[in-house]
Every structure is written in C-alpha cells, then in structure tokens.
Amino acid sequence: MVRHLLLILGLTAAAVIEAQGLWRTDNREFNPSLFHVDDNYEWTSWFNVDHPGGRGDYEQLEAIRFYYKTRVCAVPRALEARTTDWIPARETGEKVHADPTVGFWCFNEEQGPERNCSNYAVRFLCPKGFSTDSGDVQGTWGPWSNWSECPALCGQVGMQLRYRKCQSSSVLCIGSKVEGKECHGPECPKKECRLKCAMGRVNADCDACMCEDHMVLGTVRGAGGLAAEGAVILRSSKLLTITDHNGHFRIPGLCPDTNTTLTVRLQGHAPRNVVVPQSTDRTSVLSVQLHRTEKLHVSTNPESKIRREGQTAAFCCKVAGTPLPDTYQWFHNNSLLEKQSESTLVLKKLQPEQAGEYYCRASGPSGAIKTKPATLRVIGNREPSCNPMPEENLIRLPYDCFQNSTNSFYYDVGKCPPRTCAGQLDSGIRCKDKVSYCCGVAKMEEKQLQCQGYQLTTMMVTACGCQKCVETKTFVYGRAIAADNGEPMRFGHIFMNGVRISRTGYKGTFSVQVPPDMERLVLTFVDNMQKFINTTKVLPFNSKGGAVYHEIKLIRKKAPITISSTETNTLELGEVEGQDAMVQIQIPPHSFYTESGDVYTGNVNASVTFLDPRDVSTAAAAQSDLNFVGEEGDTLPLRTYGMFSVDFRGGDNNEPLNAGEVKVFLDSAQVKMPDHLNNMKLWSLNPQTGLWEEEGSLQMEKRRRKKREERTFLIGNMEIRERRLFNLDVPENRRCYVKVRAFRSERFMPSEQVEGVVISLINMEPTAGFSTNPRAWGRFDSVITGPNGACLPAFCDEQKADAYTAFVMANLGGEELEAVPSSPKLNPNLIGVPQPLLGKLNYRRTDHDDNRLKKTAFSINAAKPGSNAADEGNGPVYAFEGLKDCEEAPFSAAHFRFTRVEGDRYDYNTVPFNEDDPMSWTEDYLSWWPKPMEYRACYIKVKLNSPHELNVRSRNMGGTHPKTVGQLYGLRDTRSIRDMDQATVSAVCVEFKCSGMLYDQERVDRTLVKIIPQGSCKREQVNMMLQEYLVNHLPLAVNNDTNEFTMLAPLDPLGHNYGIYTVTDQDPHTAKEIALGRCFDGTSDGTSRVMKSNEGVALTFTCGDREVTRQSVFQTVQAAQAQAGSGVGRVEGRQGRRKQRGSNAPRNSRRRSTRDPNGRRNS
C-alpha cells in the first residue's frame, strides 16, 4: 500500500541520524557555521503535536498544518528539534529522523533497552511574510523516483521512501514530495554463543548462566527498615521478579558464582547492585537495605568573574545527589547555550556581548536543580576595572568639630567600593580564581580639619585601584533557647552535612565558622537531653566576612503518651486553646517496625510535637526556610499549614521505632483558600540540605467525627521513617520582595547604614473576608542587610492590597532595632515611603495603638505593585521578577527603615573603617585595627563622683612606634551611666586603642591614651595594680594634669583587677560586646547589662557639683543637626524624650544600647 508519509511507522534511509538537531531541505545536518539565515527567512514558533507514547514521537508536517494551518510555509527550508526540556536533539543520544518537508520522528524500539524517545518539539525556517493560500496557480510535480532500499535491519520494521521534485521554479507545488511505505528487514541469523559457564549452563538468550537446582531468596528493606513492597529485581536490565508485601523475593536458577549481579529498584530510593555470592549450598539468601533517593542539591555555585576582552573564564556547577545528575545545561541571560553539556563551562576569547548572567541546570533520575546565577563582566583591554574616583563616604566628626564650610558635622573622606576587579591571572582555567582582586584604596591624603581649639587629622581617599582582596573569615554565633521560656539548650550538638562540627555552651551559646565558598549554611541543633526536637535552620551570613548573630528558637518536645501497637491509634495535633485540632494522625495496628525491619509488638511511647501556625509566637521557631526544588530545578517557596515531629520508642527498651503507612487528616475548615485545597501536599525536611521534599498528596474526603457531625478532611498516606520533620504545605506563587534598610542612628543617610543586621519577615495569613484567619502565619524568612539594605521575600497580592500582611523585625547581635514610629501621625519622610502608597500599605509600628508595647517591629499590607501604577514601581514592594531592581535600588527609592537605639557614645577613626564590612579595612599605620581578621577591643573603666552624667573622651595617639608617634589613631566619646543605688556616682567604660603590632607586624606600638572627663573634674585615684604595672613597664607617660589621665597602654591583657578589659575576636562587634559586658560587670569572665560602678574600676574622678553649662557631645550634635538643615532626618520622639528628662536628668542604667553577647535584654 502506497500512502503519504504520516510518520507513524518505519524508518527513513535519507535522514536516520543519531544526536542531530537541525536539518536542511536537502536532509543534511544544519551547520550554523556554514548556513546563515538571511533577512528573507525566519523561524516559526515551536510545535509539539504528539507525545512519545506507543511506538514513538511523530511531529509530522501535515499534522502540524492541520492544527496550525497558516503558521507553516509550504516548503520549509530547514527544521530544528529539541525536547520539551530544551535539550537539543543532537545532545539526547537518541536515533531520530527528520526532513523539513515531512517533519520529525523517533521510534522507541530504536533507543535501546529500557529507554523510549523523549518528547520533542520542532520549528521550521520559512520565508518572511509567507502565505499558505495557493489560489488557482499551482506548480507541477515531476515523476516519482524508485522506492529506496529497505533500511530495516534483521527483525526490525523500516520504511521505504520515494521522492519527486517540483518542476516549477516560481510557483509552489502543493502536496508532499516524499512518500513512504512500511517494510520488514530480513530474518536474523542465529548467533554463535561464546559465553562459557564455570557453573551451570548458558541460557537461551546467551547472556547468563543458569543453575536449575539453585534458589536465591532475598529480603529488601526500604529507608528506616520498612518492608519494601513492589521493589523491582533486574539482571542486565531484564525484569526477574518483584518483592511481595513483606519485601521478600525468590528467584530460581541463578548461579552462585560471583558473576551474577542483581539491580534492586524501588520508587523514592536509590538503586542498589548486589552480587550473588559464591556458594555450594542449594540456597543463597540476600538481604538488601535501600536508602532514600537523595534529591539533587547544589554544592558549589558558579562564581562571578570579571575579565578583559580576549581572556578566558570558567564557570563550574557542582551538584550532589543520589544518583548523581547525568545532564548539565548552561544558560546565558536565561537563554540555553547550545553544545554546552558539561558541569564546567569554559568561555575563551571573551567578547563584550558575552557579559551577563550564567547559571547551570543539572538533572537526573532524582530530579533537577538550578544554581544561583553568576555574573560575568567583560571590559576592554585599556578600560580600568575599578573606577579611580572614590565614592562619597560621609563620616561624623566630633561634637567640637562643626564645619562651617559644609554647615554640618559631616565630612566626605571617600571610599572605594569592594567590588571585584580584573587583576593578574595565571594561565590556568579554574572554577575559582587562585587570587581574588577587589577595588581598594590606591592613594590617601592627610587632611587637617579645624575644630574648636585644635586641628583634627583625617585620612581622605583620593584614588582607587585594583588589588588583592582583604582576606576575611565569616562566622555565625548566637544562642539556642526554648521558644516558650528562653531556657538554653545546654551542651547540645550542632551538625552540618551530617557531621558534628560544634556544641552549644552552658548558656546555649554557639559560634560556627562558615566554610569558604559556602552559599547556604544549614545547621541542625540536636539536644542531648531530649527536651527539644531536632531543629534545622538555614542561617543567613555576611559573605564579605564578619559575624552575624542568630537566636535559635527551639520547640519543646511533647511528653510521650503510651499507645498499643496492636490497635488503631489516632493522635490529634493542635496547640490553640478553644479551637479544633488542625491535624490527625491515624496509625493502623501492627504498623510499627524496629530499625532492623522487624515488626514490633507491645506498647509504644509516642511523642508528636506540632508547630501550630495559628499561634504567631511560633513563627520564629519554624524550621529551615520553607523552600523546595520544583520539577524544573527552581527553588520555590512553601506556605505552611503546620509542622510536626514524630518520635516513637519501644515501651520496654526505649528503642527507636518507625511506622509503616499511616494516614494524615487535615481539617479542610482550616484551609479557606480554594486553590490550596487542591494543591496541599505532605513534605519532609532533609536536614542536610534544609530543603523540603515531597512525601505525597492529600485528597478530599468526608468523614463522620462525632454523632451527627460530618467534616471534610484532606487525607494522605505517608511512612514515618528516620527522624525527619514533616510539613503540610502548598506551593505559593504570589510572591514579592520588600526593601528594608537599617541605620546606626536616626540620621537616615547612606553613610549611616548598618550591614550584618538580620531582618526577619513573618508572612501572616490573608485577612478575614479574603481568605482566612488573620492571626495565623504562613512563612518566616530572614535576610542579612548589605551595603544597599536587604530584600525580603513575601507573599503578596495585586488585586487586594490587604490580602496578605507582613510583620517585619530587625536584630543586630541580640539587640532589637527600632522601627520608625507610625503615631501620632505618619511621617512619609521618616518612614521612607511616599504617600499615597504609604497609606495603601497601611504601615503600623507595633506600638501604634498601645505605647506600652515594644517599638521593634512594624506591619504592612504586602500589596504587589500595580502593573499600571507608575508611582508603585520604585519600591518598597517589588514584584518577584524584580529582585535585581530591589537589590540595586538607589537610596532615593522607597524603603522601610530600622534604627539602632543609639547609646551615648561616639567613635572617630583617623583612617575610616566600617566595622560592618571587614573588606573596607585599609592598610595604613594609623588604622585603628591593625589586622582585618584579628580584632582586639580594649576598655578602661572610669568612676565619676558627680551628681551628673558626664561625657568621657579617650584620645589615642602613637606612643612608641616611629611611624606613628604623636599622630592620632582616633577618638572615643562615651557618656557615663548613673549608679542605681548611689545618686552621686556614675561610671563609664571607655574604649581605647590596644597596644600591639601595627599592620606591618614588625614592631609594636604602645598607644598613648588620654582619658579626659568633660567639665571640671579632678583625678582622685588610679588603680594600684594598674599604676604598678605602668611603673614596671617603661616608658612611663607624664601625668601632670590632674584633670585627665595619660598612659602608654599595656601590651598585656590585664583584667578586672586592673580595671582594663581586653577581648580578641575575629569580629569587631563581638569583641566589643564581650569586653563591654565584662567591664559593666567588673569581672574578667562575667557579663552584665547593669553598670556596677564600684567593681573593677581603673580610674576615679571627682567632678564639681555645679551643673555643666556646656552642652554634652550628644546634645551638641543634635542641636547642630536641627540648625544645619542638611537633609538629615530628625525624629520628634527622640527630641521629646530629651526634653522630658532635661539635659542632666538621671538615667536608668538599664537603658543602654550595649548588646549582651548572650543576646539578653533586661527589662
């Protein structure tokens, strides 16, 4: 039978091609280097009219024309094919067939054992503006050619083809130019079997040896020791048998000669190969333990690079999982790169058009995953990779150094942004450059600023250049405490990637160094005392170095109840009084197994701990970051309906137990978003990756709970194996980002921003009338502020502004930052968001309706910016696809603000340094911190006999080093704190520059330190031990002026007996906090938030009783700000507080901004 080619049967002799992707009209492979699309041709859209079921995938041109009549020209010039996963046909390794005038087809039987064709899509190259209307003029066909030879091999089905040509040169011929018919290949000759068997005989297929009198018996256990029902047993990809409900199998005829390998496969588990061991017995017994499939996760993301034209750049994608990925794809600016299918992408002879973002997508049997994008910047050979002109960097000057020229206390000293630059590269092609180069200070000039009665030296950056980056180390530290009452987790274990790396202290404190190149820090906290459930957290950190504080909230483990393993048990989960349980877990009888896989009978101690999202106080205790990896490899968010941790143990020996298939019931009355009912799934948390993995779906079903009460539940099945946390979640696609900045004071200027602040956002459930209970929460996220603030992910809605609300808070080293007030009236200039958008977002600080509440958080409507609202496109809420706009938003763009509760202290460094950014350190003899990763903080405790709180200054100059002698390192001004029990006594801990090596590490300098109290004061006493030390360690500084104290700072870390407090740490904030805590307490190992005026004092001054007429440093700065009108924000509430208590009113010593290293705040 002759018919037009429908591409349902057969092969083609003209275009049987393995691993090709584009074809021309003459059936030759399309070569992009030889074939150029001119201006008269263009590609059509992609078509996919068939799927690879049945015998294969057929994308025939006639079928495409049937469905898309006018979208394909009559005679396409070329054809291109790809899979629906965007893999070009040439990279699939499959045998495919194509002809631009016929279409594209792939036969399943040609792809080898256990493999079918992929699902392909095609497109065609057609003349621009083509028309399919033929009218009355048609071309004339020539005669058909003879049938081609049958290309089918023995035992196969093929297709013979014949062709004809259109004899008209100017008019198209209507119809097909190719016809095909089915043909069969010759019979296959019998092959000579060369397999030799040392035991048994050769089977009929000549691929294995058979021992008819031998039997293999086996047992397969899944993860957690559960019986693996339905596991597939294969030999050489051929199915032998399937395990029964007990996980058992039997296979007769296999030879125990060590040459027989069986492959065991089970859904959700990694495949495992086992060898039948050598034996002389008639029966061999195998026991196979399978492990979970380990979802793909990124170990190393590609690194951003900067290169010059003509250089080479390499990007690497390291992905782990079991089994490992078998396919890699690279994308440039979201476009797939052809012919790039390795885990390493090498780009040679770079050109400017190759700049942009690159990311990798890895896929395999266990899923797919995408890396974070890396940025490639390509610059000209003569173009400077660093802008030589410094950026603006305003520093605040001392209270007695007002500058008339700028009418402010601020002076621009310049700075070089620590961005990467193109330094000297070796010839090696590496994933990570051997040496990192950053823009840094190339030249500084000394400036003298005129102050009241003296000149102040400052170093000003005048030129930037490319140099080696400052080496930094990154840490996270904090406390692990109970969420309900703050009880510390004492001596608990901390795991990373399944390995114990640290422990918590007696007070729950911990410190962990972040490994280099790590981009996602996942830690699991395990309580040895079994008071708390295992808690996995994804902790943000500052990739530029330094330490970030985190408070880990732990959920207390529920007390166990005793249940019988031989009965049906139903456990109800819900923690809100007066409300129905959200979840029920139903465990059928005989469902418990030991970890070795044996059925357990007896009583079971069951502890099920539920994190109820209806209680907003539990949000901070949410585990992980509620993300999962989608089918395409994207990391996507989840919205929780509750998490639960299950711990089953034998009643007699406390042995850990697993449970077989149990039922989970979620009360649908708690889910009031209709689309969530259809998308609810069960998830479990992978403690190694911190990602949630799908366990199963839930289906609607009506059940009768009590008499006459019928309720609808979402019901799902799951197995409880291993010690995992489980979750009831739905993916949520209504996403946005919220821009937040943190400031060190209420002067809202770019130079006053603070990095390393942990900003947290709780997504509240939609408001009543839109979806559900507004008291419940759905998600918890934390982000670290950088030099341009932070962008927090949030759920949002464009149609209804108040559909979702967000609750935002900020923390720096245990100190809660204050949000900008919203009452008695909104001030858009202070909040950072203009009207009318501010009103739409409904900004409210927590004390908006009750001033007795804390001021440390705010709530907003998470309203997605309207697509047609131009005034909403500039922040503070950005659409999900606008993350880059949010991260790079200028300071003038709308944003929300937090400020530190500013203490009465002031720091000035001659060589500017941002303690929030270790990479801003400058190599200079006058640098306050000589080494960027070794910060030594020194404090001296001063007692003041005076009815007033006074300012005390430390003036720090070079003392013994020839390069710095007599030159200023910096100033520190700190106001004293009144003793709570003695009205005429106050004390202060004043920082001074520690003595020691300078940056060149060649010679020490004993800093010349002057301690100068404000006003009329007289030195009454010097600590005897401190005086003795100074006398015995010459030279001795001259101390003729009794209004101050001068010393050459000690080289040794003395301690509280001397009134000197020294702490060394790899983070400046941590070093200062610990030293201050000890100084307040007056001990060398304690800490306090209350100033103990008579403990561990170094110096005592007596000051006049008369009221100080000169303004304090802080009053002067504030007054100058009000007069200067230099655009710096001023908060009325703070000024009001000053007026209420007067300039010298006693202050409660507990009201300090000093942060406790243990994270406590006293009330």
Side-chain angles (χ1 to χ4, degrees), residues 603-857:
N603 288 336
V604 176
N605 293 327
S607 172
V608 182
T609 306
F610 184 61
L611 190 148
D612 196 327
R614 296 174 297 181
D615 181 2
V616 72
S617 66
T618 64
Q623 298 216 28
S624 179
D625 54 3
L626 282 174
N627 286 330
F628 76 104
V629 176
E631 294 181 357
E632 294 300 317
D634 298 290
T635 301
L636 303 171
L638 291 169
R639 179 254 184 263
T640 186
Y641 278 90
M643 305 177 185
F644 58 95
S645 173
V646 179
D647 188 10
F648 296 137
R649 294 182 179 270
D652 297 329
N653 54 12
N654 207 35
E655 177 186 11
L657 301 175
N658 295 311
E661 190 169 278
V662 301
K663 287 187 178 296
V664 178
F665 298 80
L666 172 63
D667 187 353
S668 64
Q670 305 290 343
V671 184
K672 301 190 178 175
M673 299 185 74
D675 54 333
H676 285 187
L677 289 171
N678 299 322
N679 296 320
M680 188 72 64
K681 296 179 184 294
L682 278 165
W683 308 78
S684 68
L685 177 63
N686 186 329
Q688 266 72 48
T689 64
L691 294 168
W692 294 88
E693 299 174 359
E694 185 178 339
E695 292 281 339
S697 300
L698 284 82
Q699 304 297 327
M700 297 282 290
E701 184 176 324
K702 289 187 177 181
R703 289 241 169 173
R704 190 174 300 277
R705 294 180 59 193
K706 301 176 183 178
K707 292 182 179 179
R708 299 180 182 177
E709 181 187 8
E710 189 176 66
R711 301 286 292 273
T712 302
F713 289 89
L714 291 168
I715 301 177
N717 297 320
M718 62 182 295
E719 293 178 346
I720 298 177
R721 53 183 189 255
E722 307 167 312
R723 303 273 77 81
R724 283 203 172 193
L725 182 76
F726 299 96
N727 199 354
L728 293 155
D729 279 8
V730 291
E732 180 61 87
N733 55 13
R734 286 171 285 195
R735 295 172 286 168
C736 290
Y737 288 95
V738 179
K739 184 74 170 190
V740 180
R741 300 179 188 268
F743 298 84
R744 60 175 48 88
S745 69
E746 290 160 340
R747 294 172 290 273
F748 299 125
M749 305 171 61
S751 60
E752 291 291 307
Q753 291 190 93
V754 180
E755 298 182 40
V757 177
V758 180
I759 310 290
S760 299
L761 184 147
I762 302 175
N763 275 112
M764 307 299 289
E765 276 210 5
T767 57
F770 178 80
S771 291
T772 184
N773 180 5
R775 293 190 300 274
W777 61 274
R779 185 175 172 84
F780 182 92
D781 285 282
S782 294
V783 179
I784 302 296
T785 57
N788 200 33
C791 295
L792 288 103
F795 296 148
C796 61
D797 191 81
E798 183 177 359
Q799 303 302 321
K800 189 174 177 62
D802 60 349
Y804 289 93
T805 58
F807 188 78
V808 187
M809 62 203 97
N811 187 291
L812 177 63
E815 173 195 349
E816 294 177 302
L817 277 63
E818 279 191 6
V820 178
S822 58
S823 60
K825 64 178 182 179
L826 292 174
N827 187 331
N829 292 330
L830 291 179
I831 296 172
V833 180
Q835 290 284 24
L837 180 58
L838 184 60
K840 178 181 178 180
L841 298 178
N842 195 31
Y843 176 90
R844 292 290 185 269
R845 195 168 73 173
T846 41
D847 66 338
H848 182 82
D849 297 318
D850 186 351
N851 57 16
R852 295 172 298 178
L853 298 179
K854 283 185 173 183
K855 306 173 176 61
T856 53

Side-chain angles (χ1 to χ4, degrees), residues 7 104 145 151 180 218 359 396 464 466 524 646 718 789-790 855 914 1098 1115 1134:
L7 298 183
F104 176 93
S145 67
Y359 69 87
R396 188 154 56 100
C464 300
C466 189
T524 299
V646 179
M718 62 182 295
K855 306 173 176 61
N914 181 3
Q1115 295 164 344
R1134 182 173 177 84

Side-chain angles (χ1 to χ4, degrees), residues 29-220:
E29 182 192 0
F30 173 76
N31 187 335
S33 63
L34 301 176
F35 188 85
H36 300 280
V37 180
D38 58 38
D39 293 338
N40 296 322
Y41 287 84
E42 61 184 355
W43 288 103
T44 67
S45 57
W46 291 97
F47 303 103
N48 183 6
V49 296
D50 193 24
H51 62 85
R55 300 189 62 179
D57 190 14
Y58 302 89
E59 304 297 333
Q60 56 179 342
L61 186 57
E62 287 190 3
I64 292 172
R65 282 206 184 101
F66 177 81
Y67 292 109
Y68 307 98
K69 297 181 179 179
T70 62
R71 293 174 59 179
V72 183
C73 55
V75 184
R77 189 177 183 187
L79 175 151
E80 182 180 7
R82 61 158 175 83
T83 70
T84 54
D85 291 328
W86 289 90
I87 300 175
R90 71 169 65 90
E91 296 182 9
T92 62
E94 299 173 2
K95 181 179 288 187
V96 296
H97 312 263
D99 186 318
T101 63
V102 177
F104 176 93
W105 61 105
C106 173
F107 294 117
N108 288 334
E109 66 179 17
E110 295 182 338
Q111 310 311 320
E114 301 297 323
R115 183 169 180 176
N116 287 336
C117 296
S118 300
N119 191 7
Y120 286 94
V122 298
R123 65 177 181 176
F124 300 90
L125 189 65
C126 288
K128 285 187 176 180
F130 67 87
S131 173
T132 57
D133 296 332
S134 58
D136 298 328
V137 182
Q138 298 184 10
T140 303
W141 288 105
W144 288 102
S145 67
N146 294 327
W147 289 103
S148 64
E149 293 184 4
C150 183
L153 302 176
C154 68
Q156 293 183 345
V157 178
M159 181 170 285
Q160 291 177 280
L161 301 177
R162 68 175 183 175
Y163 299 87
R164 60 179 177 175
K165 291 185 179 181
C166 182
Q167 296 180 337
S168 302
S169 59
S170 58
V171 181
L172 292 177
C173 295
I174 303 303
S176 175
K177 75 171 187 177
V178 181
E179 284 185 342
K181 67 178 181 178
E182 183 179 311
C183 65
H184 297 269
E187 292 187 4
C188 297
K190 294 184 178 180
K191 295 182 180 179
E192 180 183 357
C193 183
R194 298 183 179 182
L195 178 63
K196 304 296 182 183
C197 293
M199 183 183 296
R201 63 175 180 81
V202 179
N203 67 356
D205 294 330
C206 190
D207 61 359
C209 297
M210 303 297 294
C211 296
E212 296 176 354
D213 58 347
H214 186 264
M215 177 72 68
V216 173
L217 304 178
T219 301
V220 181

Side-chain angles (χ1 to χ4, degrees), residues 45 113 224 242 305 320 442 447 460 467 601 631 649 683 708 719 771 799 872 893 922 960 972 999 1053 1063 1066 1160:
S45 57
I242 298 175
K305 299 178 185 293
K447 296 289 184 180
M460 181 176 178
Q467 53 193 248
T601 57
E631 294 181 357
R649 294 182 179 270
W683 308 78
R708 299 180 182 177
E719 293 178 346
S771 291
Q799 303 302 321
E872 297 180 10
T922 303
T960 59
R972 297 293 186 266
Y999 86 91
V1063 173
Q1066 293 174 317
R1160 294 194 303 270

